[in-house]
Amino acid sequence: MACMLPQAKSTAINPVKSSQPLGAAFAFLGVDGAVPLFHGSQECTSFALVLLVRHFKETIPLQTTAMEELETILGGEDRLKDAILNSKARAEPQFIAVCTTALVETGDDDTTCDLANIKLKRARELTGTEVVLANAPEALEEGWSKAVTAIVDRIARPGKQKPDPKKVGDIRDLGAATKCRGTGEHMRRPAEALQRLTAEPYVLFESLAGLKNAGRFILLLTTVSGEQAPAKVLRGRMQLQDAMLDGHFHLGGKKIAISAEPDQLLQLSDFFVGMGAKISAAATTTGTSKILQKVPAETVQVGDLCDLERLSAVAHLLVTYSHGRPAAERLAIPLMHAGFPVFDTLGSQHKLTILYQGTRDMIYEVANIMQADQHPPTPDALDPVCNRGL
């Protein structure tokens, strides 16, 4: 069991934690026709928008209520109403997702009441558009969790089950689901919300990476369907076993330093330990997740990238997102990109890191990084006389 080290500094330097409502926006953007709306200042939205655009290299439909000083003090209901009606008039979205920012949360606005008033008074103008609120005062995974919970609570209703839950109309029919599966501790809350609606138990996987976790997931699917796994899935399992055999020569005994959100930290740590490596340093964004106790490391530091750099003096590899590159350069060790944002390499949004294929590809990526970082010994290093310390 890992020992939790709480954040000791009054301020974060080079923080690990991303914009707080960003995780909620991530989840909402997965719904077809959705427009995330940040309820806060333009600056709150701009920081999140810059990270999204740099990561995906695409335009992102992120809107803002553009709160100013007066609305911050007197209340932002009018700003919220104008932003919702403008978004409806300009884009005719099926789904407007309101995410509160730290500005509104600090002001203690009753956004739930404000939104209910707007939907009641402007019901005619908002016909055909669902409007959902997610209060997201925590880290990225917490924001994602609260957004999915809000979608289930506000939209899902008992009905005929549809195959594609990405569309608003299909989400309404999730109440007829007979099976529920979630991945990561942060998805427990949405799973419980769906369980309240369906009265069906849910299955929660801590991770889908690695031979054992992927095998459990495939076993669940074959049990539910009553069918055997397809031949290509079994072939993927054999390819992963072969990759593990090849990759352990490069990872066995290596010391790894990781910084990530709690669920991703557990997934990455399990992956490296499963390949024979050791987690020499682990840092995360929040200490509230119970899953952190299962991270296979002696300690988990709640803090920032400076804390990770301080703990990584003996590490062979740094694993975090792009903001960790300066720390990796100062430590003179390679950086493996993981998490969000990744803006100094292309295609990270398409990289698969779970199940047989994703784990196999991740082994090859790490092994290639370690292989490229090998330094041949110098003649002095091989000279037993010079190394006697005389």
Side-chain angles (χ1 to χ4, degrees):
M1 178 182 294
C3 176
M4 294 300 304
L5 302 178
Q7 190 168 19
K9 296 184 296 186
S10 58
T11 186
I13 304 169
N14 201 0
V16 175
K17 187 183 292 186
S18 296
S19 171
Q20 296 167 350
L22 196 53
F26 255 120
F28 286 136
L29 285 168
V31 179
D32 188 37
V35 172
L37 173 63
F38 274 25
H39 188 24
S41 70
Q42 283 185 309
E43 290 76 12
C44 293
T45 310
S46 297
F47 283 121
L49 190 59
V50 166
L51 293 176
L52 285 168
V53 171
R54 293 187 77 186
H55 182 85
F56 290 104
K57 310 289 189 295
E58 303 288 350
T59 56
I60 304 295
L62 203 62
Q63 302 298 314
T64 178
T65 57
M67 295 269 286
E68 295 181 350
E69 291 86 349
L70 189 63
E71 294 82 14
T72 303
I73 297 171
L74 300 180
E77 182 176 346
D78 288 342
R79 282 281 186 175
L80 181 60
K81 178 197 64 179
D82 293 343
I84 290 174
L85 295 179
N86 285 338
S87 297
K88 170 69 176 177
R90 284 188 299 179
E92 284 290 333
Q94 301 177 31
F95 184 47
I96 297 176
V98 181
C99 313
T100 57
T101 66
L103 179 69
V104 174
E105 294 291 338
T106 305
D108 201 25
D109 279 7
D110 190 349
T111 310
T112 303
C113 181
D114 292 345
L115 185 58
N117 289 335
I118 294 168
K119 292 168 74 174
L120 180 64
K121 295 176 181 175
R122 301 293 183 145
R124 185 173 57 82
E125 292 104 311
L126 295 174
T127 300
T129 299
E130 292 281 356
V131 184
V132 168
L133 168 68
N135 298 95
E138 293 294 336
L140 193 142
E141 284 183 353
E142 283 290 319
W144 178 288
S145 172
K146 292 188 176 184
V148 179
T149 304
I151 290 172
V152 173
D153 282 341
R154 310 289 169 78
I155 298 180
R157 298 289 183 271
K160 184 179 178 182
Q161 189 177 358
K162 299 286 183 63
D164 184 2
K166 292 186 294 184
K167 296 183 178 179
V168 174
D170 297 336
I171 293 174
R172 292 194 186 97
D173 297 327
L174 282 178
T178 57
K179 305 292 179 187
C180 176
R181 177 198 62 79
T183 305
E185 183 64 28
H186 69 288
M187 290 302 290
R188 184 179 298 279
R189 190 180 305 164
E192 290 174 347
L194 194 57
Q195 186 181 32
R196 288 193 294 272
L197 195 64
T198 63
E200 294 289 339
Y202 62 86
V203 178
L204 198 67
F205 291 86
E206 294 176 352
S207 169
L208 292 182
L211 192 66
K212 185 167 61 177
N213 293 322
R216 287 174 179 168
F217 180 69
I218 298 299
L219 177 62
L220 174 69
L221 295 184
T222 54
T223 303
V224 170
S225 66
E227 303 286 340
Q228 291 186 343
K232 64 178 183 181
V233 174
L234 300 178
R235 181 172 175 78
R237 177 183 171 83
M238 290 187 287
Q239 288 177 334
L240 173 56
Q241 290 174 315
D242 182 60
M244 293 174 71
L245 181 63
D246 297 339
H248 87 278
F249 294 107
H250 301 279
L251 290 175
K254 299 295 184 184
K255 297 181 175 65
I256 312 296
I258 306 175
S259 176
E261 296 270 341
D263 281 316
Q264 190 176 35
L265 177 61
L266 176 66
Q267 174 180 315
L268 290 169
S269 302
D270 274 345
F271 164 76
F272 281 108
V273 170
M275 292 299 297
K278 179 182 179 181
I279 308 304
S280 61
T284 189
T285 55
T286 173
T288 58
S289 177
K290 297 178 181 177
I291 205 69
L292 290 171
Q293 296 179 352
K294 297 185 178 181
V295 173
E298 293 183 3
T299 60
V300 175
Q301 174 72 57
V302 180
D304 54 26
L305 288 174
C306 288
D307 294 318
L308 180 70
E309 183 176 345
R310 173 176 54 82
L311 298 169
S312 304
V314 298
H316 298 101
L317 176 70
L318 193 67
V319 182
T320 188
Y321 52 87
S322 291
H323 289 147
R325 177 167 293 283
E329 291 175 352
R330 285 190 290 268
L331 293 166
I333 58 176
L335 170 70
M336 176 186 172
H337 292 96
F340 175 88
V342 175
F343 47 77
D344 51 352
T345 60
L346 296 178
S348 59
Q349 66 270 32
H350 299 296
K351 189 167 71 174
L352 183 65
T353 58
I354 60 171
L355 301 179
Y356 296 136
Q357 180 184 341
T359 310
R360 180 203 64 189
D361 293 347
M362 194 156 59
I363 290 172
Y364 289 146
E365 179 187 0
V366 181
N368 287 331
I369 290 174
M370 301 303 287
Q371 197 169 20
D373 189 55
Q374 287 183 349
H375 304 286
T378 63
D380 288 344
L382 296 174
D383 188 340
V385 177
C386 292
N387 289 323
R388 286 187 304 173
L390 299 176

